[in-house]
Amino acid sequence: MGNDTPLAVPGHVSPFEEIKQQTEDGTEYWKSRALSRLLEYEDYRNFESVIKKAKKACKGSNQKPSDHFVDVNEMVDIRSGASRFVRSIALSRYA
């Protein structure tokens, strides 16, 4: 195989782009719970430690974590057919 292999397949949308959301002003973000499922974390608590490390790295590169990690509440369905709010984080592309 040579270097002529395309990096993207025409018509293919990345799974990360599929879960991307946008604010009314067009700012892109990803919800941490959706991202944790995509990355196959069985327990969200385990993904929270990854987020803590990412916040530390963000601060270490002179970025304000509050610009890239925004605490939000997300409505989720629970087994009984009801729904409830859970903590989540809106993550920028940089995050």
Side-chain angles (χ1 to χ4, degrees):
M1 226 183 225
N3 289 335
D4 58 340
T5 304
L7 296 176
V9 177
H12 173 73
V13 177
S14 159
F16 296 100
E17 292 300 308
E18 288 179 353
I19 65 169
K20 176 179 71 178
Q21 298 189 28
Q22 289 187 327
T23 62
E24 289 182 15
D25 69 0
T27 303
E28 300 174 333
Y29 70 95
W30 288 258
K31 287 189 177 172
S32 61
R33 288 184 180 273
L35 189 57
S36 72
R37 287 188 297 274
L38 180 63
L39 296 173
E40 299 181 355
Y41 280 82
E42 290 185 30
D43 192 341
Y44 182 72
R45 290 178 301 183
N46 296 332
F47 191 64
E48 288 177 316
S49 65
V50 173
I51 291 172
K52 284 181 184 179
K53 291 176 185 177
K55 285 180 180 180
K56 188 175 181 179
C58 183
K59 193 173 184 176
S61 60
N62 295 320
Q63 295 287 322
K64 288 175 41 181
S66 61
D67 289 345
H68 302 285
F69 301 85
V70 179
D71 292 331
V72 296
N73 289 317
E74 184 176 349
M75 183 68 75
V76 296
D77 294 326
I78 54 178
R79 291 184 186 146
S80 64
S83 49
R84 67 180 173 103
F85 283 106
V86 294
R87 284 184 318 113
S88 190
I89 301 171
L91 307 164
S92 72
R93 185 175 292 271
Y94 182 82

